[in-house]
């Protein structure tokens, strides 16, 4: 027998993989399977129709039948019973028959041609909620301190009722460690108290199935002490005591339930274990629990009814053992042991039997493994018939809890029932064996898309079926290899799992199911999405009421997922309020109110995940005003003020401000009295006499002060004598013979009573005299006349009112009026410390001669003249004031080498005294200032000349100059210093033997006998050769009208240049241009060190910010500018560029005009157009001569002539009166130019920017001839504009056109 059991176990182990239950598709043949059935113990409501569920599936669809109490239940014969279509569910109509008629045990059977499945037994019972039996409950009278049990004894119901105790008002009776309810519903008192007396102890039973409540008759309990019981009951017992024993004393505990020292309790596995211990005693005992055979299961246990009930849920075998409850008070303790046994109704081990699908010729196993306490028995049935009575099958072998199938064949399909039972219950399960031969198929929909969040678990389904069971293989994308290792996990049901999905796991997956009958492939897709994350969470906000607040919630999510933003308030929906504005990434609340306070949560949801963040909004506001002001503890000069704080609006109150209004002295004006911390609501106020007080309170929090509270009632204090005297008593004089006594008057609050006045007292301090007293009112000063000049006085001012005088006043001191000092300081001397500082000494004036408060001494001083003839100077008087009793003082800021006068006088509060004799002193020489100017002239190849001007502020006699100079290279590095001493009378020097084309820096300072002064600096560059000077003198660019270049550009520094800045020197000379066939030819000479030289040009008068065009010259000294447009004028200049930190060197600009049509240079005198032009000019001159002679013969003058006579130009005489001939312009050595023209420095004649024309002198639109041939237009305006509009000139050679222009200016 043992060997056979081992063989069976080995077979089960080898074929265990075949036991996995497969879901057979409903389009394939299969035996019935029960899918729904009513519970085993089915309690019905008698008021509703009975529904007994039984549903099953199978192919073909099964038919259904029922048994009742073990016999066939013919549904067709009972008109009240209907079976639902395509189902086995019964519906019983109880409208015509009572429900208890259908109580019993029902079982459903579902069958088709492949087998029969049966349900478990369904026991139908009607729920019952019976009434309490009528009884008369007597009043219970007990002695105080004894124990008491109020029985409930509810009627037996189905299911059992829930018990609770209430009073007449349906309020639960209070329970405690002294009074509690037991498991059976009785109410236990460990000891009774007088307050337990009441007439409405009512026990209620609630029947949950019918939702009905039944009520027991009320119980009346009276608790009396021994004396009260004897007095009350004596009349009923012939005046004998009801209780003759002594009053109840304190006692140690005893158990009311359970009884004895031990008991036992049996509970089933998986159910709830409830144990209780209720004890009586005085004082009330405390209950505790321990497990003697182990530890209490703290995770599954709880205490009820003040630890009198120990409850353990989901009981297991480990809960069996001995439990001890203990009751203890101050007098002792008692114990009770409960032995707990755990039994078990049958339960499955590894689950119920599972359906088995086999192919013909395969082997298989059905197992029905269960356990229980006691051990259950197992029986098998096939298609509802005990297996012993079923047809024989050679492929089937039954061994206790296992059925083994070997080489099974078609036609062996059936449903097997396994029944497991013991004394505490049973289990019954159906499991079919379905013999099929089917190729594999995948039940998961094709091309299904699975989406998962990155770093989350991904599961891809491959639900399959086939017989024999197919083997599942997974591939990804290119199917290069099977997915059977990390990170992939393949489950038995075909599911492919990726524990942590990443973006690289996205793609197409193929599930292949294969058995001996074929192969089936299914394609699904996995998409790994980026997680949803809140990047900027909403932040905690504190906002004042009425303001706006914004909660930001910026979220990042996968772009392919559709997000939905949801805002919650306090885990609920946002209020429907237009003030709450929800945007894509924020929530704005406008006009915030207190109800808006709370926790706001933003939730970003997608179809796959979500993220959330919360922040709290606290709405704050200034506090509400305090209320309920009350005055207590009223005394003469104090009162107690209490109040109730208002709502602080989420901002703690920091302090309270108490104010008062004095309606007697200053009605309507509130004054601050005191402050108290925000934690206090009372203040002890010190008050003044003779005030009518009204108080109010303001609360302060972080938002500010509240509105004032309503005023308190008025509190009047009684009048009294003054408590204080005036302060700030002073005595002084406004005249030399008076004394003014002043003080700070008392306020109305300080007066303490009516009739306030002041008693003023004074006496001379130096002599023995009595106090002189005078009383004044409504004043704060008093003038005493006829006093000696500046005499000390003692003063007192005392407050007086109608109720008395103030305290003795303190003595103040003052002086009568001052007068001017009568003496000057004597023995005045001066000590010259240096060229700018002197010290004056004097003897102080005696105090009695000052005749007042000594304020100090004044030194008046002024400069008479300078000791240097070049610096004549006169200065206004200056004053130095030395406060206090000084006898000397410093006089700063003097000018060196000068003569000063000074005197000294004393002054007091009245003014200055007499002047001391005026004295003089001389200041020594000082260090001179820097030379006024330093310029460089006559720069040659290796020499240059420096010229300078002496210092403006010489501060002494100049004894000479010191000149230092040193070369500077292109990197601004300084060379060795040369030093040269110069005489005082020199103002220029020529430096020989300098390096050519070198920049030098010069430093020059002046000296006196006191030393050298600060230096002035300058920079200059030596020239390459001597011809450069004449070349630079040529005006090669546009200049300023009427001016000529100096002999050298360094001769005068540019305006506003700082002394130490280098003078710019152009390294270009002899710049010229000529026009050839290929374009303008630009030529120049260059002597600079820079190698990067180029020509820049741009169109003249170009609009906008046109840039210079560059043309490199490649080391030559001429270049042809090609590609220029004909008919345009160009500005041309040369540029030399050094290192990046050095400035650019520019030449003067040329104005180059490109002819519209290029032609060869020909002799202009041979051109026909020129000959014709000259003839026209000669004819015009002839006409003018004729007109002139005609006018002369008439003896009249034309207007232009009158103009010329009135404004004769000494350099230009257009016409002589005697012979009417043209005046000649001189061409002498002075080179005086023609009017309107300019003579450059080289003697060549240049024309203006615009050629002269007859229009300029009246032949244009403004000029006309009279009938007699004279001009109507005049010279005015045109000639004037020409003088002021002289522009820049171009350097072109003289030509016949220029000559004609000059003639035009005369005509």
């Amino acid at each position: 027998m043992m060997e056979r059991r081992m063989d069976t176990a080995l077979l089960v182990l080898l074929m265990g993989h075949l036991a996995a239950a497969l879901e057979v598709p409903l389009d394939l043949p299969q035996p019935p399977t029960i899918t729904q059935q009513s519970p085993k113990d089915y309690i019905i409501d008698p008021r509703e129709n009975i529904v007994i569920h039984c549903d099953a599936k199978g192919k073909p669809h099964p038919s259904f039948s029922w048994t009742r109490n073990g016999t066939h239940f013919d549904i067709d014969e009972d008109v009240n019973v209907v079976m639902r279509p395509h189902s086995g569910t019964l519906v019983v109509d109880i409208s015509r028959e009572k429900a208890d008629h259908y109580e019993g045990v029902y079982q459903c059977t579902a069958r088709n041609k492949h087998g029969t499945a049966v349900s478990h037994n369904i026991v139908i019972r009607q729920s019952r909620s019976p009434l309490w039996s009528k009884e008369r409950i007597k009043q219970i009278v007990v002695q105080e301190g004894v124990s008491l049990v109020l029985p409930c004894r509810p009627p037996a119901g189905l299911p059992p009722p829930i018990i609770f105790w209430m009073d007449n008002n349906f309020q639960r009776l209070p329970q405690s460690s002294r009074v509690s309810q037991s498991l059976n519903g009785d109410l236990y008192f460990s000891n009774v108290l007088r307050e337990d007396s009441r007439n409405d102890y009512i026990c209620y039973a609630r029947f949950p199935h019918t939702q009905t409540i039944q009520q027991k008759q009320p119980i009346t309990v009276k608790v009396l002490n021994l004396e009260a019981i004897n007095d009350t009951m004596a009349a009923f017992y012939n005046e004998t005591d009801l209780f003759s024993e002594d009053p109840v004393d304190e006692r140690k505990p005893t158990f009311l339930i359970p009884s004895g020292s031990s008991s036992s309790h049996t509970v089933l596995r998986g159910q709830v274990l409830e144990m209780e211990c209720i004890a009586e005693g005085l004082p009330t005992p405390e209950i505790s629990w321990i497990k003697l055979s182990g530890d209490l299961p703290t995770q599954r246990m709880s205490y009820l009814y003040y630890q009198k009930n120990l409850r353990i849920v989901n009981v297991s075998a480990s809960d069996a053992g001995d439990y001890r409850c203990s009751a203890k008070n101050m007098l002792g303790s008692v114990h009770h042991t409960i032995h707990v046994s755990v039994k078990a109704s049958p339960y499955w081990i590894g689950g119920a039997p599972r359906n088995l699908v086999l192919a013909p010729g395969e082997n298989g196993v059905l197992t029905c493994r269960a356990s229980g306490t006691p051990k259950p028995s197992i029986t098998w049935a096939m298609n509802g018939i005990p297996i012993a009575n079923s047809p024989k099958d050679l492929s089937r072998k039954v061994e206790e809890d296992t059925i083994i199938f070997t080489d099974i064949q078609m036609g062996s399909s059936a449903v097997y029932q396994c029944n497991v039972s013991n004394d505490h219950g049973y289990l019954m399960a159906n499991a079919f064996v379905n013999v099929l031969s089917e190729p594999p198929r995948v039940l998961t929909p094709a091309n299904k898309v699975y989406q998962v969040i990155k770093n989350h678990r991904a599961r891809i389904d491959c639900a399959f079926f086939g017989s024999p069971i197919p083997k599942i293989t997974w591939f990804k994308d290119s199917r290069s290899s099977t997915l059977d290792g990390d990170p992939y996990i393949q489950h038995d049901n075909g599911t492919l799992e990726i524990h942590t999905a990443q973006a690289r796991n996205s793609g197409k997956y193929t599930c292949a199911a294969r058995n001996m009958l074929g192969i089936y492939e299914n394609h699904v897709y996995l998409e790994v999405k980026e997680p949803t994350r809140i990047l900027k969470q909403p932040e905690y906000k504190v906002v004042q009421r009425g303001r706006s607040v914004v909660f930001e919630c910026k979220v990042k999510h996968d772009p392919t997922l559709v997000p939905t933003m949801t805002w919650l308030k306090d885990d609920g929906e946002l209020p429907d309020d237009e003030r709450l504005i929800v945007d894509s990434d924020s929530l704005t609340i406008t006009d915030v109110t207190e109800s808006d306070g709370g926790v706001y949560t933003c939730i970003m949801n997608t179809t796959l995940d979500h993220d959330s963040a919360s922040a709290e909004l606290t709405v704050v506001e200034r506090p509400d005003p305090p209320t309920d002001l009350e005055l207590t503890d009223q005394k003469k000069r104090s009162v107690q003020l209490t109040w109730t704080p208002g709502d602080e609006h989420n901002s703690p109150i920091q302090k309270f401000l108490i104010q008062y209004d004095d309606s007697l002295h200053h009605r309507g004006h509130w004054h601050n009295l005191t402050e108290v911390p925000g934690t206090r609501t009372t203040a002890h106020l010190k008050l003044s006499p003779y005030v009518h007080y009204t108080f109010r309170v303001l609360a302060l929090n972080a938002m500010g002060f509240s509105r004032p509270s309503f005023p308190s009632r008025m509190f009047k204090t009684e009048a009294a004598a003054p408590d204080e005297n005036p302060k700030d008593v002073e005595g002084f004089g406004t005249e030399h013979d008076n004394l003014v006594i002043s003080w700070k008057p008392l306020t109305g609050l300080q007066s303490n009573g009516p009739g306030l006045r002041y008693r003023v007292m004074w006496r001379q301090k130096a002599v023995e005299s009595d106090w002189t007293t005078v009383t004044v009112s409504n004043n704060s000063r008093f003038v005493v006349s006829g006093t000696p000049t500046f005499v000390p006085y003692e003063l007192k001012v005392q407050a007086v009112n109608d109720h008395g005088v103030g305290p003795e006043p303190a003595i103040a001191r003052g002086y009568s009026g001052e007068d001017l000092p009568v003496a000057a300081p004597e023995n005045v001397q001066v000590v010259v410390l240096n060229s700018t500082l002197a010290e004056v000494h004097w003897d102080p004036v005696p105090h009695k001669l000052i005749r007042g408060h000594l304020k100090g001494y004044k030194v008046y001083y002024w400069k008479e003249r300078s000791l240097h003839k070049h610096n004549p100077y006169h200065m206004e008087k200056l004053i130095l004031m030395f406060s206090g009793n000084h006898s000397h003082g410093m006089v700063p800021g003097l000018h060196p080498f000068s003569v000063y006068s000074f005197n000294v006088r004393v002054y007091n509060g009245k003014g200055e005294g007499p002047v001391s004799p005026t004295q003089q002193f001389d200041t020594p020489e000082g260090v001179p200032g820097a030379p006024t100017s330093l310029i460089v002239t006559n720069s040659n190849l290796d020499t240059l000349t420096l010229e300078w001007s002496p210092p403006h502020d010489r501060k002494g006699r100049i004894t000479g100059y010191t000149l230092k100079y040193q070369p500077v290279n292109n990197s601004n590095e300084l060379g060795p210093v040369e030093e040269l001493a110069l005489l005082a009378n020199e103002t220029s020097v020529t430096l020989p033997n300098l390096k050519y084309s070198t920049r030098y820096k010069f430093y020059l300072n002046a000296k006196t006998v006191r030393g050298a002064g600060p230096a002035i600096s300058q920079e200059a560059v030596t020239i390459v050769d001597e011809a450069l000077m004449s070349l630079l003198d040529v005006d090669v660019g546009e200049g300023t009208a009427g001016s000529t270049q100096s002999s050298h550009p360094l001769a005068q520094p540019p305006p506003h240049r700082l002394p130490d800045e280098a003078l710019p020197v152009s390294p270009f000379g002899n710049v010229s241009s000529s026009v050839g066939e290929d374009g303008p030819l630009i030529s120049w000479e260059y002597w600079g060190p820079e190698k990067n030289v180029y020509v820049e040009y741009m169109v003249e008068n170009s609009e906008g910010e046109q840039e210079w065009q560059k043309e490199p010259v490649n080391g030559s000294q001429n270049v042809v500018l090609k590609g220029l447009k004909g008919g345009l004028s160009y500005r041309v200049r040369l540029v030399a560029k050094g290192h990046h930190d050095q400035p650019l060197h520019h030449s003067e600009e040329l104005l180059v005009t490109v002819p519209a049509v290029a032609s060869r240079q020909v002799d202009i005198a041979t051109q026909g157009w020129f000959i014709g032009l000259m003839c026209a000019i000669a004819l015009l001159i002839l006409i003018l001569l004729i007109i002139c002679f005609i006018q002369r013969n008439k003896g009249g003058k034309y207007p232009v002539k009158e103009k010329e006579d009135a404004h004769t130009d000494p350099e230009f005489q257009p016409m002589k009166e005697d012979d009417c001939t043209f005046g000649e312009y001189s061409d002498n050595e002075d080179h005086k130019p023609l009017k309107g023209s300019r003579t450059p420095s080289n003697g060549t004649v240049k024309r203006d920017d615009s050629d002269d024309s007859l229009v300029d002198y009246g032949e244009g639109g403004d000029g006309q001839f009279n009938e007699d041939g004279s001009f109507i237009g005049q010279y005015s305006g045109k000639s004037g504009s020409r003088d002021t509009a002289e522009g820049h000139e171009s350097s072109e050679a003289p030509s016949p056109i220029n000559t004609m222009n000059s003639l035009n200016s005369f005509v």
Side-chain angles (χ1 to χ4, degrees), residues 1160-1175:
R1160 293 185 178 272
Q1161 187 96 16
V1162 296
D1163 188 1
I1164 194 172
T1166 63
Q1167 299 298 307
W1169 64 270
F1170 179 76
I1171 297 173
L1173 178 60
M1174 297 305 294
C1175 292

Side-chain angles (χ1 to χ4, degrees), residues 626-639:
T627 58
D628 303 330
L629 271 66
E630 184 177 355
L631 299 176
T632 59
D633 193 19
Q634 301 175 8
K635 298 180 180 178
K636 286 187 175 182
R637 294 200 179 188
S638 67
V639 71

Side-chain angles (χ1 to χ4, degrees), residues 41-45 103-104 123-128 158:
D41 192 7
Y42 189 14
I43 299 176
I44 62 174
D45 189 337
E103 291 183 328
V123 180
I124 302 294
R125 292 186 296 170
Q126 175 185 333
S127 65
R128 290 176 173 83
L158 186 68

Side-chain angles (χ1 to χ4, degrees), residues 128-184:
R128 290 176 173 83
S129 53
L131 298 175
W132 252 292
S133 58
K134 293 185 178 181
E135 58 179 334
R136 181 178 180 183
I137 301 177
K138 296 181 179 180
Q139 177 180 341
I140 300 176
V141 180
V142 295
Q143 184 180 1
E144 184 178 12
V146 303
S147 61
L148 176 65
V149 179
L150 299 183
C152 181
R153 299 191 200 73
L158 186 68
I162 300 172
I163 306 301
F164 51 94
W165 289 80
M166 301 178 72
D167 60 14
N168 281 331
N169 298 322
F170 298 99
Q171 300 296 317
R172 285 186 179 270
L173 294 175
Q175 297 191 23
S176 63
S177 59
R178 186 179 63 85
V179 182
S180 61
Q181 178 181 317
S182 66
L183 292 177
N184 66 359

